[in-house]
């Protein structure tokens, strides 16, 4: 879990590099309402306004919950991303990751659950001596994309 927290914190810090951290009081009420619906009652740790990408990002950094919630400037929920440990991946998804990659010498990291309107998927970064991959799978374990890094 420490590794996941480190990666998540680096992502949050990187996000603030191209965006502006804001106080919760500066966030419009409609944005806060949408974030509250996605937060599962966890308090928001960090608010970021990304003007270039036209969205707010609310981060929850309370182990074991590591979550980013993205909302457009007009208050439309865009995405919720959760950092997970491998044992939190659904069995069908983890089975494919294990059989296709881990059992073949890859190491896994950055296990992520991504929710968007009408779309849920899982992602994992995998590395071997020969290649680094970012693999995205649907909830049934079907590989949706495999990108070399």
């Amino acid at each position: 879990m420490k590794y996941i927290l480190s990666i998540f914190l680096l992502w949050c810090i990187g996000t603030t590099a191209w965006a502006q951290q804001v106080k919760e009081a500066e966030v419009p009420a409609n944005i806060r309402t949408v974030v509250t619906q996605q937060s599962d009652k966890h308090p928001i740790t960090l608010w970021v306004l990304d003007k270039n990408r036209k969205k707010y990002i609310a981060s929850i950094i309370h182990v074991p919950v590591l979550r980013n919630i993205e909302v457009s400037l007009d208050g439309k929920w865009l995405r919720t991303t959760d950092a997970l440990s491998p044992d939190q991946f659904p069995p069908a998804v983890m089975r494919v990751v294990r059989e296709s990659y881990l059992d073949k010498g890859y190491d896994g990291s950055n296990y992520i659950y991504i929710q968007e309107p009408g779309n849920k998927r899982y992602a994992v970064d995998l590395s071997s001596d020969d290649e680094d991959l970012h693999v995205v799978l649907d909830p049934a374990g079907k590989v949706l994309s495999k990108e070399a890094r």
Side-chain angles (χ1 to χ4, degrees), residues 21-51:
Q21 184 175 345
V22 295
K23 296 177 183 176
E24 185 167 358
E26 298 170 358
V27 177
N30 63 328
I31 305 293
R32 289 193 315 261
T33 298
V34 172
V35 167
T36 298
Q37 294 167 351
Q38 292 292 317
S39 71
D40 294 333
K41 299 183 182 181
H42 296 287
I44 304 304
T45 307
L46 176 70
W47 287 93
V48 172
L49 170 57
D50 187 338
K51 290 181 182 177

Side-chain angles (χ1 to χ4, degrees), residues 8-108:
F8 193 79
L9 288 174
L10 285 174
W11 184 87
C12 289
I13 291 166
T15 299
T16 60
W18 68 75
Q20 177 185 358
Q21 184 175 345
V22 295
K23 296 177 183 176
E24 185 167 358
E26 298 170 358
V27 177
N30 63 328
I31 305 293
R32 289 193 315 261
T33 298
V34 172
V35 167
T36 298
Q37 294 167 351
Q38 292 292 317
S39 71
D40 294 333
K41 299 183 182 181
H42 296 287
I44 304 304
T45 307
L46 176 70
W47 287 93
V48 172
L49 170 57
D50 187 338
K51 290 181 182 177
N52 291 337
R53 292 179 178 82
K54 300 179 179 157
K55 62 184 173 183
Y56 281 89
I57 303 167
S59 296
I60 300 169
I61 308 169
H62 298 284
V63 176
V65 178
L66 304 170
R67 177 176 293 164
N68 279 330
I69 304 163
E70 301 174 24
V71 181
S72 66
L73 296 180
D74 63 356
K76 180 181 176 189
W77 171 64
L78 300 172
R79 176 187 309 198
T80 299
T81 306
D82 289 287
L84 302 176
S85 61
D87 62 329
Q88 292 174 304
F89 256 38
V93 176
M94 197 61 210
R95 181 183 49 77
V96 172
V97 170
R98 188 178 47 259
E99 290 174 1
S100 300
Y101 301 101
L102 300 179
D103 290 348
K104 295 181 179 178
Y106 286 82
D107 291 320

